[in-house]
């Protein structure tokens, strides 16, 4: 089991550093154009890995529509909102808002899957949103410091949470890792079309040929996005969603550290307090607290 935990730790480190990577890349290339190429590269990498794993196959007729529907939220809208949002917010704020992914997923499950919410989870919701409110409103401008970037990053979290609900309702015998690869490849084309409609210059991608930006791009696409998502899905099967979700807290921590180290951003006291509130909120809101309490009482094996 320690091997899975080690891999999860590595993935969270990659995802945390990926926020700083994207932040650097969108300063050189149009965010939507960049993400279309980044997601396409990740999708191709996932499909190639699936071939080596022996799980590759072409989708059935009935699966194309479902895959396109989920991909619209999980790939197109999510990556588009995140790319646009990171261009207009700080790495620290973006990292903390993205830390709400597990909490938002639980909230979406309550709304759309009619899952029950107990007192512990309600406390988690309140603490999590309090943490985000505190961090996004932190700055010299007070309430005015809330930027359009913060709003877009939050929207990216919401649509991703909704996509997870859609994926949980799938009944097709389609390996989630393979679905991920297809959704990334086809979703990247839609992101590209949107970027062109909005006037992005495809020639900007030549800037990624630079060895520095190129290495950052490949790390983001292949290591963080392709390898990261496949490993995370594998971990859910091996150790369960509750324990796996706890590791996403490390994602936020590494992202904040990356913003300070690589982007030179200042971590304020309010950011630290907000981070603590989000961590506690996620721990309560995702049901991790219930899981460990039951396990301690011997109700779970």
């Amino acid at each position: 089991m320690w091997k899975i935990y080690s891999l999860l730790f590595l993935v969270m480190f990659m995802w945390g550093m990926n926020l700083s990577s994207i932040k650097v890349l969108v300063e050189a290339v149009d965010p939507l154009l960049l993400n279309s190429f980044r997601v396409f590269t990740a999708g191709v990498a996932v499909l190639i890995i699936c071939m080596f794993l022996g799980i590759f196959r072409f989708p059935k007729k009935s699966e194309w529509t479902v895959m396109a529907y989920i991909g619209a939220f999980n790939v197109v809208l999510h990556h588009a909102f995140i790319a646009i949002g990171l261009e207009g917010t700080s790495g620290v704020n973006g990292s903390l808002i993205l830390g709400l992914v597990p909490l938002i997923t639980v909230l979406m499950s309550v709304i759309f899957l009619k899952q029950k919410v107990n007192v512990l989870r309600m406390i988690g919701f309140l603490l999590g949103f309090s943490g985000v409110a505190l961090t996004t409103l932190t700055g010299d401008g007070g309430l005015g410091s809330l930027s359009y970037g913060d709003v877009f990053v939050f929207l990216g979290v919401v649509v991703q949470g909704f996509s997870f609900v859609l994926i949980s309702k799938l009944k097709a015998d389609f390996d989630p890792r393979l679905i991920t690869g297809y959704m990334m490849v086809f979703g990247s084309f839609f992101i590209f079309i949107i970027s062109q409609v909005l006037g992005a210059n495809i020639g900007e991608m030549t800037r990624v040929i630079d060895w520095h930006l190129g290495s950052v791009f490949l790390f983001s696409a292949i290591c963080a996005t392709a390898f990261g998502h496949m490993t995370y899905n594998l971990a859910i099967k091996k150790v369960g969603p509750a324990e796996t979700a706890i590791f996403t807290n490390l994602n936020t921590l590494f992202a904040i550290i990356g913003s300070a180290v690589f982007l030179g951003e200042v971590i304020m006291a309010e950011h630290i307090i907000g981070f603590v509130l989000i961590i506690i909120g996620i721990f309560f809101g995702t049901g991790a607290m219930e899981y460990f309490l039951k396990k301690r009482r011997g109700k779970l094996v």
Side-chain angles (χ1 to χ4, degrees), residues 66-78 163 166 183-184 187:
V66 177
M67 192 169 61
Y69 182 53
I70 297 176
F73 291 95
N74 187 267
V75 178
V76 180
L77 290 178
H78 169 66
S163 74
L166 294 177
M183 288 194 303
M184 285 180 175

Side-chain angles (χ1 to χ4, degrees), residues 9 11-20 91-103 131-132 135 157 245-260 267 271-272 274-279 282:
F9 186 88
V11 169
M12 293 308 124
F13 173 77
M14 289 179 176
W15 282 0
M17 296 300 108
N18 191 41
L19 262 294
S20 297
V92 172
N93 275 22
S95 303
L96 287 165
I97 298 173
L98 284 172
L100 275 178
V101 168
L103 198 59
V132 170
T135 54
V157 170
I246 295 174
F247 278 84
T248 58
N249 299 339
L250 293 173
N251 177 13
T252 305
L253 176 61
F254 286 132
I256 293 174
I257 294 174
S259 296
I267 299 177
H271 286 133
I272 297 175
F275 172 70
V276 171
L277 288 174
I278 290 174
I279 292 299
I282 290 174

Side-chain angles (χ1 to χ4, degrees), residues 50-301:
C50 286
M51 289 180 182
F52 281 104
L53 294 176
I55 60 174
F56 178 84
R57 70 171 174 83
F58 291 105
K60 299 174 183 177
K61 263 188 178 180
S62 59
E63 294 170 338
W64 282 105
T65 303
V66 177
M67 192 169 61
Y69 182 53
I70 297 176
F73 291 95
N74 187 267
V75 178
V76 180
L77 290 178
H78 169 66
H79 286 284
F81 284 151
I82 295 299
I84 295 172
L86 288 179
E87 190 182 31
T89 187
S90 68
V92 172
N93 275 22
S95 303
L96 287 165
I97 298 173
L98 284 172
L100 275 178
V101 168
L103 198 59
I104 291 295
T105 303
V106 173
L107 184 58
M108 289 290 179
S109 298
V110 170
I111 296 173
F112 296 104
L113 300 180
K114 307 302 180 184
Q115 291 187 357
K116 295 181 179 180
V117 182
N118 55 29
V119 177
L120 287 178
R121 294 199 175 195
M122 185 58 68
I123 291 174
F125 293 149
L126 295 175
L127 288 175
F129 281 112
S130 296
V132 170
L134 177 63
T135 54
T136 54
L137 298 180
T138 293
D140 296 331
L143 289 175
S145 65
L146 177 63
S147 68
Y148 81 90
D150 294 328
V151 175
F152 271 99
V153 173
F154 182 74
L155 288 175
V157 170
V158 172
V159 295
Q160 187 180 48
F162 181 63
S163 74
F164 289 155
V165 171
L166 294 177
I167 291 174
S168 71
K169 298 179 72 173
L170 282 176
K171 295 181 180 180
D173 56 340
F174 208 1
D175 191 291
R177 293 168 293 182
L178 187 57
I179 291 176
T180 300
Y182 277 120
M183 288 194 303
M184 285 180 175
V185 170
F186 291 106
S188 66
F189 285 104
F190 288 100
I191 299 176
F192 176 76
I193 292 173
I194 295 173
S195 73
Q196 295 305 292
V197 170
L198 295 178
N201 181 8
I202 193 172
E204 290 184 9
M205 283 305 299
T206 57
R207 298 173 185 172
V208 180
I209 297 176
D210 172 78
W211 74 268
H212 174 65
L213 287 180
S215 59
V216 173
F217 176 83
L218 290 176
F219 164 77
S220 178
I222 298 177
C223 297
T225 304
F227 172 76
H229 282 283
M230 293 189 72
T231 303
Y232 190 82
N233 290 337
L234 175 65
I236 290 177
K237 288 187 175 182
K238 293 288 185 179
V239 302
E243 291 191 12
T244 305
I246 295 174
F247 278 84
T248 58
N249 299 339
L250 293 173
N251 177 13
T252 305
L253 176 61
F254 286 132
I256 293 174
I257 294 174
S259 296
V261 174
F262 298 109
L263 302 179
E265 296 183 0
V266 177
I267 299 177
M268 303 174 67
E270 289 86 348
H271 286 133
I272 297 175
I273 296 172
F275 172 70
V276 171
L277 288 174
I278 290 174
I279 292 299
I280 298 174
I282 290 174
F283 195 67
F284 278 78
T286 56
M289 174 62 80
E290 299 169 58
Y291 175 82
F292 283 112
L293 286 176
K294 290 179 181 179
K295 191 172 183 179
R296 190 171 182 179
R297 294 169 186 166
K299 293 184 179 180
L300 292 180
V301 179

